[in-house]
Amino acid sequence: MATLNVTHTESITLNGQQFGGTNTLAISGINNVDKRIVTVPQSEIILASFSTAVAAGTYNEANVRYVRITNLDSTNHLYLVFKNEYNNECCMKLDKGQTFVYNADLASGLIDTMLANQVALGFTDATGDTGTGDSFIDNITANGAIIPGLRVSHDSGYIPASTSVGAVTGAANGVSAATSHTTVTRHATTGAESVSEGTGVDANGTSTYAAGFGDLVEITAEADSGSIQVEILVASV
């Protein structure tokens, strides 16, 4: 067992004044480090996969504490794509010589660390109904912005605190328009979902949705031109 010390230093002097600085993070309990150099072609390949158990090319999502990806090329950039358990994806550009650090939760790893949508993650909807003992909001006027993983509250106060959107009806990851969804709570360290039941009846109340999380399950890369060497380091407890 060891401690991973990560140091981030900026050094710049502008008009005789120093604006740089150093920040250090110590991540204790590290038992496994995997460091590889991967040649990335002009087609999407998987750099790393994450799940509930270790397998060939797959890391245990709950144990990962640090992920670093460095573009070793001196000319071309990379497309980095991050995908979560709901198949939401986001793409980041990693230019020549640059490094991207994916910040894991220091207690629960990659569980509940990423969500993406095609629209703003925070919004309100004034058409859904709640019910006593119900674990869902229904009769929503079709809304394509509602996706699993968003946090949700209700102006009636009938939806318990720390509730999130579970399974969505009428949509596939927000591609079409949601007409209802289940309400769940997610365990802070395991991400396991449990039912969140309403405590009262309200018709056409206003639900407030906000940014939430899902588990990171995959990182892929694609070279903009030629082939690019990429260094990836994954540290786990």
Side-chain angles (χ1 to χ4, degrees), residues 9-21:
T9 299
E10 298 105 6
S11 179
I12 180 171
T13 302
L14 186 62
N15 295 327
Q17 186 173 353
Q18 173 60 247
F19 290 94

Side-chain angles (χ1 to χ4, degrees), residues 117 119-126 140 143-147 150-153 165 206-211:
N117 203 354
V119 295
L121 292 171
F123 57 93
T124 59
D125 182 280
I140 299 169
N143 189 334
I146 298 173
I147 60 172
L150 290 173
R151 291 173 291 155
V152 59
S153 60
V165 175
T206 298
S207 299
T208 299
Y209 297 88

Side-chain angles (χ1 to χ4, degrees), residues 35-39 68-76 78 94-99 227-232:
K35 182 179 178 182
R36 296 175 289 130
I37 293 178
V38 180
T39 300
R68 174 182 59 78
I69 302 167
T70 300
N71 181 352
L72 300 176
D73 200 80
S74 60
T75 305
N76 300 306
L78 280 171
L94 190 63
D95 207 2
K96 56 186 178 181
Q98 292 184 340
T99 290
S227 58
I228 293 176
Q229 288 203 317
V230 175
E231 185 176 82
I232 178 169

